[in-house]
Amino acid sequence: MWSAAVSSPAPSSDHVVPRTNEPKLPAEHLRRIVGTPPGALAAFVTRFVFAFISWLSPASRDALARFVGNLAYTLGIRRRVVMDNLEQGMPEKTDAERREIARGAYINMSRVVLESLPSGERLPPDWADQGVVGEEAWEALKARVATGKGALIVTAHFGNWELLGDMLIRWGVHIDALVRPLKGALNTRIAENRVRVGAGLIYPRGAIMEISSAVERGESPFMLLDQALPAKAAVFVPFFGRLASTTPACAVAAQRTGAPVFVVMGVRNGKPGARFRLEVEGPIPPPAPGECEDPITEHTARITAALERCIRKYPHQWMWLHRRWKVQPESTSRVASALPEGTDAKS
């Protein structure tokens, strides 16, 4: 996540890297899909479901997403988790405002799924004309890529992070997504679509070495930094006023490679269909030598703070359904030196 974000017009068309029928593929070892594939029956059934979703028009997919999201909210699926997250993370909001944010989060999550599954074109023809907030940071990211070395790109479960990756590749920012082995037909399909649009997949084993190699090849590791990790694998940094277990992978990779860190978010702009403007911040600098006792944790905290700034502006686009604060520090865990004044370190 960088420099002050300012509104700007859409990038000019001469920056566009058009989609080709055969997108550039990542290295063969980054095209492996690791996980538990669906069983024969599930694969058979979901094949027809995915074909139906691909057949629907964008407007029909959006209408279906709104219906499914509203239904899930009305039925109360994980609503206790969502409302607890919102009550503790955004206490300044009224109950009515939090309920409206919650409903929007359910609808956004449904949109993410239905927009990400189609096997064909998933973005509208004017995908590149939606604008950029943080033009200076965006230009700095493109300038880094133009040197032939990659940057470290951080985002969150926000807007539609799958289509954000697709957009970055079309802009000429080749990405390798950090992923975990997952189960089932839905996750398998999403992984297949990632590879189809030209993204590589980096798994946890040997990830730091793989990230370093990717940066040297001119590829940009693409990380979601808003997931809870086991305490032993995490550092703890402030996020909406509470300590959240967070992977230190980005800060470690930045320290080892010297690559700059950028936060890039795809924000739904209120237009119909899968239309997103970019909001970019960065480069987010690591602490200066001697500035703090634990530069990895401090750098992770700075990156996470940039994520929070964007989520606070558009809270209905973040995945409040996730139990983000379920893991709390053990006595030996690495914790940010201090929470902002007036916040609570409890879960």
Side-chain angles (χ1 to χ4, degrees):
M1 301 158 196
W2 324 288
S3 62
V6 293
S7 297
S8 69
S12 59
S13 60
D14 61 347
H15 288 153
V16 175
V17 178
R19 165 72 64 183
T20 64
N21 291 329
E22 297 182 1
K24 175 186 174 183
L25 293 176
E28 184 176 354
H29 74 284
L30 298 183
R31 300 202 300 268
R32 296 178 301 117
I33 297 176
V34 178
T36 304
L41 178 59
F44 177 79
V45 172
T46 54
R47 184 180 304 120
F48 291 98
V49 173
F50 296 158
F52 173 71
I53 293 172
S54 298
W55 172 78
L56 289 174
S57 68
S60 296
R61 280 198 292 269
D62 193 68
L64 179 59
R66 294 187 65 84
F67 171 78
V68 172
N70 276 305
L71 179 63
Y73 173 80
T74 301
L75 293 176
I77 299 171
R78 293 185 69 84
R79 192 164 63 192
R80 182 177 299 178
V81 172
V82 174
M83 296 311 299
D84 180 66
N85 284 342
L86 282 166
E87 286 166 11
Q88 297 198 55
M90 307 194 83
E92 73 282 4
K93 301 289 187 182
T94 66
D95 287 343
E97 287 172 330
R98 288 193 289 265
R99 287 194 295 271
E100 190 62 25
I101 291 170
R103 186 183 294 275
Y106 280 86
I107 293 172
N108 187 72
M109 191 65 223
S110 298
R111 282 173 165 159
V112 169
V113 173
L114 292 176
E115 291 167 350
S116 302
L117 289 176
S119 57
E121 180 58 63
R122 302 183 298 177
L123 289 169
D126 61 347
W127 68 268
D129 302 324
Q130 305 308 306
V132 174
V133 174
E135 180 71 21
E136 184 179 347
W138 176 233
E139 292 300 326
L141 171 57
K142 292 190 293 182
R144 166 69 180 188
V145 171
T147 68
K149 291 191 176 182
L152 301 173
I153 300 177
V154 173
T155 192
H157 291 88
F158 177 94
N160 187 327
W161 55 95
E162 295 294 332
L163 297 190
L164 172 62
D166 193 344
M167 290 170 63
L168 288 172
I169 291 170
R170 296 182 191 214
W171 281 115
V173 181
H174 182 73
I175 64 169
D176 295 324
L178 270 71
V179 297
R180 293 181 292 181
L182 297 171
K183 299 179 180 180
L186 175 62
N187 289 313
T188 298
R189 175 60 167 243
I190 288 175
E192 290 171 346
N193 276 346
R194 288 171 177 170
V195 173
R196 178 178 62 82
V197 301
L201 305 178
I202 297 177
Y203 294 95
R205 185 182 294 275
I208 297 298
M209 183 177 297
E210 195 64 70
I211 288 170
S212 299
S213 298
V215 168
E216 289 300 316
R217 292 194 302 268
E219 299 163 12
S220 296
F222 183 74
M223 314 179 199
L224 284 84
L225 228 65
D226 60 342
Q227 301 178 87
L229 265 68
K232 292 181 179 179
V235 296
F236 287 84
V237 300
F239 186 60
F240 283 89
R242 291 183 284 169
L243 290 174
S245 66
T246 306
T247 176
C250 183
V252 171
Q255 185 182 73
R256 294 192 181 183
T257 65
V261 178
F262 294 86
V263 166
V264 183
M265 307 285 262
V267 180
R268 295 186 187 276
N269 58 12
K271 296 180 181 179
R275 289 178 169 85
F276 308 87
R277 67 173 173 271
L278 297 183
E279 296 216 0
V280 188
E281 188 174 340
I284 299 178
E291 181 179 345
C292 61
E293 292 184 3
D294 189 345
I296 296 299
T297 301
E298 174 61 26
H299 199 190
T300 303
R302 294 179 182 183
I303 298 165
T304 300
L307 286 177
E308 181 179 332
R309 283 192 287 274
C310 188
I311 295 169
R312 281 191 178 275
K313 288 193 291 183
Y314 317 100
H316 57 290
Q317 298 193 38
W318 189 59
M319 192 173 66
W320 293 95
L321 292 80
H322 173 50
R323 293 181 61 206
R324 180 68 182 92
W325 297 270
K326 66 182 178 181
V327 179
Q328 285 300 292
E330 299 173 352
S331 58
T332 57
S333 297
R334 296 162 68 182
V335 180
S337 58
L339 284 166
E341 185 177 355
T343 60
D344 183 3
K346 296 179 181 178
S347 61

